């Protein structure tokens, strides 16, 4: 079983790079057009050149900035980190409390 491990790792990296390339928007692709990157990954995937090249040079990767503020517009934010969501929970809770007091 252990003799298959290198083959499986190469295959996993190949598949990951291919799917990552397909899911990356055209604006975030660097160096070559997206179609060219797909061809490079598929042709040179078995020797790891294509997938490693894609992971290193093919995509704009944003660094984790660790800021506590809200994310950039259009980016998904977890509900517990989203101040607007937390405020809406407080508003909803206040509405329910008001309804109970009215009865």
């Amino acid at each position: 079983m252990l003799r298959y491990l290198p083959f499986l790792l190469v295959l996993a990296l190949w598949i990951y790079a291919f799917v990552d390339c397909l899911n990356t928007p055209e604006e975030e692709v660097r160096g070559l057009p997206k179609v060219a990157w797909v061809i490079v990954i598929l042709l040179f995937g078995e020797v790891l050149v294509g997938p490693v090249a894609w992971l290193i040079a093919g995509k704009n990767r944003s660094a984790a900035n660790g800021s506590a503020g809200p994310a950039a517009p259009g980016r998904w934010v977890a509900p517990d980190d989203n101040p607007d969501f937390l405020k809406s929970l407080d508003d909803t809770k206040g509405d329910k409390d008001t309804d109970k007091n009215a009865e």
Side-chain angles (χ1 to χ4, degrees):
M1 179 66 182
L2 194 56
R3 65 180 177 212
Y4 297 118
L5 186 61
F7 173 74
L8 292 176
L9 290 175
V10 169
L11 182 65
L13 181 63
W14 197 359
I15 292 171
Y16 173 78
F18 180 68
V19 171
D20 187 44
C21 183
L22 290 178
N23 288 331
T24 301
E26 189 73 39
E27 304 86 45
E28 294 181 20
V29 177
R30 294 188 307 178
L32 298 171
K34 188 173 178 178
V35 175
W37 275 114
V38 169
I39 292 170
V40 167
I41 291 169
L42 291 177
L43 288 179
F44 300 109
E46 198 167 324
V47 292
L48 290 179
V49 174
V52 171
W54 165 254
L55 293 174
I56 292 173
K59 180 179 179 182
N60 287 332
R61 308 246 182 232
S62 59
N65 56 8
S67 64
R75 299 269 305 178
W76 183 83
V77 178
D80 58 341
D81 292 336
N82 189 340
D84 296 330
F85 176 76
L86 296 174
K87 185 177 182 221
S88 72
L89 287 178
D90 290 339
D91 293 344
T92 316
K93 183 179 177 186
D95 292 344
K96 287 182 181 177
D97 291 341
T98 306
D99 291 343
K100 282 184 178 179
N101 293 337
E103 292 174 359

